[in-house]
Amino acid sequence: YLAGLFVFVRENPPPRALLLPCGAILCGLILLAWLAELTAFIACGRGSLGFAYISTQMDGTAMSFLARRFAFTFQNPNTLGSFYVLPVAMVLSGLAPRARHFTLRQWLLCLLGLGLCLLPLVHSFSKHAVLTGAVMLGFLADACRPRWPRLSRWSWLLIIAVGLICTATVLWVVFPLKPQWPVINTTSGMYMIHQNIYAKMATHTPRGFLIGHSPAEIARLYPQLADHNAIRNTLEHYNAVAVLDSFAAFMDPHQEYLNILSLFGAGALAAMIAFWISSGVKATTMARYFLLALAFCCLWDDLLSKRWLWLAAAILLQNNSDDKNEMPPAATTLPEA
């Protein structure tokens, strides 16, 4: 179903003149909801209009700032974090053909609009924000290439840097920081509880590694491979020992690579990776940066079931770039006869 949706939209893309206003309306609605939620919070203390995700789990920890996060109409702010790239991709795809010819006034208005769009996303505190940031960076890099070619050529390194920092917060608890090396708290992070179990599951038997497991097999193997002491040690840092039993009974992997590997095996994982790499070979700068960010985000969540990501990918991949983008190394195009 998702493959069909992707191919249909990529081969029959909406007109760019339609993408821009539709994306702007979506971004505007999210921004208005964030402003309303902010107003309610200032006026009523911890009051909420239903657009915020409020949790007491992080109270008293080094991550108390995560107690209130903007989620729009989604139940999870991380869902908003992955969804947000769709309206932004629509807006920037509509603007891209004209961006290199913007006047100074148009650039100021554009940058102001992008800055306003980031406010709700920043308040979601979602690592998936790197998707939206990557598309914005690709848009700016492509528009600035004639004036600052070297800066544009290496701008993708910023995605790598942010992706590695976000990955560190998945691998380890990170906060609170310590005065001695390695400074960060290197206790295994919460997501690593599931990911370690699924990694063991994927290599449990040769058959499972090659062709995966049924959902029933995964549900049976998960508690057998769970280490209660290691789970307790991690959850103590998140003030979440009360949910130890649920973490030891069954959780999704929160990592797309392990999700595919555990369900469908190594062949399916290789096919998925090959598909995305081949899609980016002749893609635009925005599309390549999006795919690079998506590769990182799949380390933190099982994302490829999200329809909006396939729509965003189809919109960004609808046209190939005429120039050779910054990402190394791209395929060589032979001159026309």
Side-chain angles (χ1 to χ4, degrees):
Y1 163 70
L2 291 172
L5 178 68
F6 169 80
V7 171
F8 178 82
V9 176
R10 187 189 63 182
E11 300 303 319
N12 303 275
R16 290 186 185 273
L18 184 63
L19 286 175
L20 177 57
C22 289
I25 290 171
L26 273 173
C27 288
L29 288 174
I30 296 173
L31 180 61
L32 286 175
W34 177 77
L35 289 172
E37 188 65 39
L38 180 64
T39 302
F41 176 71
I42 294 173
C44 309
R46 292 186 68 85
S48 173
L49 299 177
F51 297 118
Y53 174 83
I54 300 175
S55 172
T56 59
Q57 178 181 313
M58 295 302 174
D59 290 347
T61 72
M63 293 171 286
S64 57
F65 61 90
L66 297 178
R68 186 186 185 94
R69 303 165 66 186
F70 182 67
F72 192 45
T73 58
F74 299 101
Q75 294 182 342
N76 190 322
N78 289 325
T79 308
L80 172 64
S82 67
F83 172 80
Y84 210 83
V85 70
L86 175 59
V88 170
M90 293 167 66
V91 169
L92 296 184
S93 292
L95 286 177
R98 293 175 280 174
R100 291 192 183 186
H101 308 290
F102 275 178
T103 64
L104 178 60
R105 180 175 177 273
Q106 288 173 321
W107 265 119
L108 291 175
L109 289 173
C110 179
L111 293 175
L112 176 62
L114 293 180
L116 290 173
C117 283
L118 286 175
L119 293 175
L121 189 60
V122 170
H123 193 199
S124 73
F125 294 108
S126 172
K127 287 187 285 289
H128 299 334
V130 69
L131 290 166
T132 300
V135 172
M136 288 184 176
L137 181 63
F139 170 78
L140 295 173
D142 188 54
C144 296
R145 185 181 295 113
R147 180 168 295 184
W148 297 293
R150 183 171 298 179
L151 182 64
S152 298
R153 184 177 301 116
W154 297 104
S155 57
W156 57 273
L157 289 174
L158 182 60
I159 303 173
I160 298 286
V162 174
L164 290 175
I165 292 171
C166 291
T167 302
T169 67
V170 173
L171 294 175
W172 304 293
V173 175
V174 177
F175 298 105
L177 300 178
K178 300 182 295 185
Q180 66 273 15
W181 182 258
V183 181
I184 65 173
N185 184 341
T186 53
T187 304
S188 182
M190 182 182 285
Y191 281 9
M192 291 304 294
I193 295 173
H194 335 309
Q195 293 183 14
N196 284 332
I197 293 173
Y198 277 87
K200 295 176 184 176
M201 191 185 302
T203 56
H204 189 62
T205 63
R207 176 184 175 276
F209 177 76
L210 290 174
I211 64 173
H213 306 80
S214 69
E217 288 177 322
I218 289 177
R220 177 178 58 83
L221 287 171
Y222 187 99
Q224 296 178 14
L225 300 172
D227 184 337
H228 283 66
N229 291 330
I231 294 173
R232 178 182 294 275
N233 183 44
T234 295
L235 293 181
E236 285 175 350
H237 292 267
Y238 295 90
N239 195 26
V241 176
V243 296
L244 187 151
D245 289 341
S246 62
F247 273 73
F250 182 77
M251 284 281 175
D252 289 327
H254 288 84
Q255 203 220 67
E256 192 60 71
Y257 306 107
L258 289 173
N259 187 44
I260 293 176
L261 185 61
S262 60
L263 281 169
F264 307 112
L269 178 60
M272 185 272 288
I273 294 173
F275 165 74
W276 287 116
I277 291 176
S278 64
S279 296
V281 168
K282 295 183 179 180
T284 62
T285 306
M286 281 197 298
R288 288 192 185 187
Y289 284 19
F290 168 78
L291 294 178
L292 179 59
L294 181 63
F296 272 109
C297 289
C298 284
L299 292 171
W300 319 318
D301 208 347
D302 359 327
L303 281 180
L304 296 186
S305 60
K306 303 294 188 290
R307 293 161 180 79
W308 46 81
L309 289 180
W310 290 89
L311 286 172
I315 289 170
L316 292 170
L317 290 165
Q318 63 180 279
N319 286 319
N320 292 335
S321 178
D322 294 330
D323 50 77
K324 299 300 115 188
N325 297 307
E326 301 85 1
M327 295 288 291
T332 302
T333 302
L334 296 176
E336 295 181 358

